[in-house]
Amino acid sequence: MDKKQQPKVLIVIFGATGDLAKRKLFPSIYRLYQNGAIGEDFAVVGLARRSWTNDVFRDNVNNSISHSLSTDDNLDAFTSHFYYHPFDVTDDASYQDLGSLLNDLEGVYETDGNRIFYLAMAPNFFGTIANKLNTFGLKGSTGWSRLVIEKPFGHDLASAKELNNQIREAFDEKQIYRIDHYLGKEMVQNIEVIRFANGIFEHLWNNRFISNIQVTSSEAIGVEDRSRYYDHSGATRDMAQNHMLQMVALLAMEPPINLSTEEIRSEKIKVLRALRQIDDTMVDDYFVRGQYGHGKINGKYIKGYREEAEDLVDSNTETFVAGKIMIDNYRWAGVPFYIRTGKRLEGKSTKIVVEFKDIPMNLFYETNEERQPNLLTINIQPNEGITLRLNAKKSGVGSMAKPIDLDYNNENVHGINTPEAYEKLLYGCMIGDATNFTHWDEVALSWKFIDSILNVWTDQKATFPNYEAGSMGPKAAHELLEKDGFHWWPTTED
Ligand code: NAP
């Protein structure tokens, strides 16, 4: 890569001894270094309370990278850019010391005063850190300063507003990069390309030709050691408010006039503004919640959610949510967007299925029920790719039809090694491209929609557990589509 394009940057990671830094951030920064996206003009300062030295920190960075990636001879050279500074985010004196360390490193690594402050910490610290960075002059360096914030961004609209106000006292909206790591995934970014670069789809991408769109994100894992966080959050806050609604916005948005951050965001915001708000009395007609009981996954016995930890015995938290979302605009009037996501489901998979309307007359199947609609499936994970289901002639005599699938799988393409979501997002932040980060207006509109569902659910005790571990969620999630004459794809026969 041309050296001139390599960003010069000092990355300050708050929570550098934590899980996210270890599993995602260090390997991603290494990949950027390995493939030349960043050169030698960078340094990383890790902050957390424990009293590590630079050497201990570098060993940890080294281990986390060697554990997840194949490495080159340059690993030691890479980790020599890492510095550790014991730090309590609530303590003013810590910020004063940090200022002089950052100034020194900027001199050594010639990073032009460009700083990324990455908050890989519990969200209750976000406001404090942002304000102290401002008060102690750490964001006022000679270059640019950007603040990267992890999810969750608030617990509901009111708390998200409060958090946003705190952060905005110190940083402008343009300096704030709110992570939704789904937006860094290759196939999520591919939604725009598939839609806007292909006449055969975009011309049909509306309520005249599409009957419904389904977005499923299933996990086979349970809450693992995150039960305290998860029980306070649940599937709707953890997945639907952010990742699922972001995918819906990308699927439903109008073509932007260009690919700039502002234009893409503005189209997504219009979709979120057009979400049909659900009246209190109608929540159960549009949304279904579930919690897993015991069951089996891959032949192995799995405990129910309430058995996973002592304080979950009478939990009312949903580990599954499915919903029907209507977008009240000209393009989508009458087309349901169904979403579903949950834990301890059949397997790990994220996919989008676009179901096209049937042709008016059945010529090639014995009965109307046997007819198969055209489907466009976008596989986000684990197998990245696209499948287009068409009808073709059954070979042999007669003129009966059968469904056939045209498959494209990213992994089968020689040489493709798709970058990790965090790698692309970090690089986006370094070059000032906020397209794949969420704007405050998107966060606020998503919370407004989700609050209308959760406000009702919080007041009503659910009948849990209502689905078996290893299934695809409660019966009501299937009935949600059946009453509209649809069913979830793929079916068990697929
Ligand atoms: P974690 O493993 O619990 O790490 C928390 C970090 O904060 C540790 O480095 C801890 O180190 C540090 N810390 C705690 N109190 C501190 C204080 N007063 N001053 C300075 N440092 C302090 O959490 P995580 O899983 O990495 O998650 C971090 C953030 O990312 C959260 O917002 C989470 O929701 C989000 N997130 C995580 C994941 C993931 O896969 N882990 C995925 C999506 C989003 P010390 O104890 O040494 O101080």
Side-chain angles (χ1 to χ4, degrees), residues 15-21 23 47-50 87-90 119-123 125-126 150-152 422:
T17 58
D19 178 68
L20 183 79
R23 283 193 311 110
L47 308 173
R49 287 167 305 179
R50 64 199 76 172
F87 191 92
D88 187 328
V89 296
T90 58
L119 309 194
M121 292 198 43
F125 292 121
F126 293 169
E150 272 294 336
K151 80 166 193 188
Y422 273 94

Side-chain angles (χ1 to χ4, degrees), residues 77-90:
F78 171 76
T79 50
S80 72
H81 292 249
F82 282 66
Y83 294 81
Y84 184 78
H85 188 65
F87 191 92
D88 187 328
V89 296
T90 58

Side-chain angles (χ1 to χ4, degrees), residues 196-245:
F196 303 132
N198 292 297
I200 60 160
F201 296 129
E202 189 51 25
H203 297 315
L204 305 182
W205 210 262
N206 57 51
N207 53 9
R208 286 178 59 208
F209 301 102
I210 288 177
S211 68
N212 72 92
I213 295 186
Q214 305 177 7
V215 186
T216 299
S217 184
S218 64
E219 287 183 286
I221 56 167
V223 283
E224 313 213 290
D225 53 3
R226 290 170 71 228
S227 71
R228 196 180 297 171
Y229 158 75
Y230 193 84
D231 200 53
H232 185 59
S233 161
T236 316
R237 289 189 173 90
D238 192 44
M239 293 290 296
Q241 182 271 336
N242 37 54
H243 314 314
M244 308 299 278
L245 283 180

Side-chain angles (χ1 to χ4, degrees), residues 351-411:
K351 63 174 71 201
I352 293 162
V353 179
V354 179
E355 179 174 338
F356 291 88
K357 287 186 175 169
D358 280 332
I359 47 163
M361 197 181 148
N362 171 22
L363 291 172
F364 300 106
Y365 285 93
E366 294 203 1
T367 63
N368 273 341
E369 290 66 46
E370 281 174 67
R371 284 208 287 184
Q372 293 282 326
N374 294 130
L375 301 176
L376 171 68
T377 302
I378 303 173
N379 289 308
I380 313 266
Q381 61 185 16
N383 303 316
E384 296 175 352
I386 309 165
T387 304
L388 182 61
R389 175 165 294 185
L390 303 173
N391 289 297
K393 186 181 168 302
K394 227 183 216 174
S395 44
V397 283
S399 52
M400 289 291 116
K402 64 167 190 179
I404 54 156
D405 285 342
L406 306 186
D407 265 325
Y408 167 81
N409 186 336
N410 250 356
E411 277 147 44

